[in-house]
Amino acid sequence: GIRDGANIFGARPTASEYIPYAGEGFALLMPDKFNPSKEQDFKGTVLRYEDNFDAVSNLIVTCNPTSKTTIKEYGSPEKFLAANSFLLGKTSQEFASRSEGGFAANRVAAASLLAVNENEKKGKTYYELEVLTRTADGDEGGRHHLISAVVSGGKEYVLKVQVGDKRWFKGLERPSKEVIQSFIVA
């Protein structure tokens, strides 16, 4: 079953906080307060869970075919993000740009790259990014996007954890970062 894959993470975390999740070709630790969601935000969505308390906070895994053999073929985590800015929500397609004459509702008004990391796990490079977006309508005071991206076996896997500002500061920051750290592909 699902628990058989848990040993790939080494030491088991607190049972009440995470549930080991093994998908097709990937595994991660799922926050136990997240429930399955049927929404398909992005092409190739293979997993989507959202916070019981706040649907703004969610976790998505996408898997799409790619001609790349490694995530490094993007050149840098920043270039990966520029090529995949749709992951941050409905934007004007330009990273951290402002549209003419005001903003449409729910559009990302500004995006700040807070952290960038390249991580090696079992011989594969993962790009990890932390981005804070603010919507023009100020809903939730902004959203934290934690992204881990990797290429394996002709597929590009992306894990995105999105958390609203309020929940982030009420305790979802650490678990979100631990979920990103736990993400691994076959």
Side-chain angles (χ1 to χ4, degrees):
I2 254 176
R3 300 209 175 269
D4 300 348
N7 63 355
I8 64 169
F9 300 113
R12 242 182 96 65
T14 318
S16 64
E17 213 174 349
Y18 302 101
I19 299 151
Y21 183 95
E24 204 172 309
F26 69 92
L28 54 83
L29 292 175
M30 181 72 67
D32 68 351
K33 303 271 190 292
F34 277 42
N35 282 332
S37 159
K38 297 261 184 274
E39 276 183 61
Q40 295 275 314
D41 304 65
F42 309 112
K43 185 173 149 283
T45 298
V46 292
L47 180 71
R48 188 184 195 283
Y49 272 63
E50 61 188 35
D51 189 332
N52 287 354
F53 303 107
D54 175 19
V56 162
S57 302
N58 59 57
L59 176 159
I60 296 166
V61 175
T62 61
C63 174
N64 287 295
T66 181
S67 57
K68 292 176 172 55
T69 55
T70 169
I71 201 76
K72 287 182 171 177
E73 286 176 38
Y74 276 101
S76 70
E78 293 87 348
K79 285 180 180 159
F80 165 83
L81 187 63
N84 293 277
S85 61
F86 65 86
L87 291 168
L88 303 177
K90 300 182 193 86
T91 66
S92 55
Q93 295 312 318
E94 277 185 53
F95 195 50
S97 75
R98 300 183 177 266
S99 62
E100 300 283 321
F103 304 111
N106 274 331
R107 299 230 167 218
V108 173
S112 310
L113 191 55
L114 303 181
V116 179
N117 194 17
E118 263 186 55
N119 210 342
E120 289 285 327
K121 295 182 205 172
K122 296 190 175 181
K124 292 183 175 72
T125 301
Y126 292 69
Y127 280 173
E128 295 170 352
L129 303 106
E130 181 181 340
V131 183
L132 176 64
T133 58
R134 299 208 175 275
T135 53
D137 57 17
D139 183 40
E140 256 295 309
R143 289 180 169 87
H144 294 260
H145 306 264
L146 300 181
I147 296 166
S148 179
V150 61
V151 169
S152 179
K155 294 182 174 131
E156 184 175 289
Y157 293 87
V158 177
L159 164 62
K160 182 177 100 115
V161 179
Q162 172 181 288
V163 180
D165 230 13
K166 293 176 190 129
R167 300 280 295 145
W168 181 260
F169 292 110
K170 284 185 181 158
L172 274 181
E173 177 179 4
R174 184 186 53 81
S176 299
K177 289 180 175 177
E178 287 175 0
V179 168
I180 289 290
Q181 291 306 309
S182 76
F183 186 54
I184 192 154
V185 296

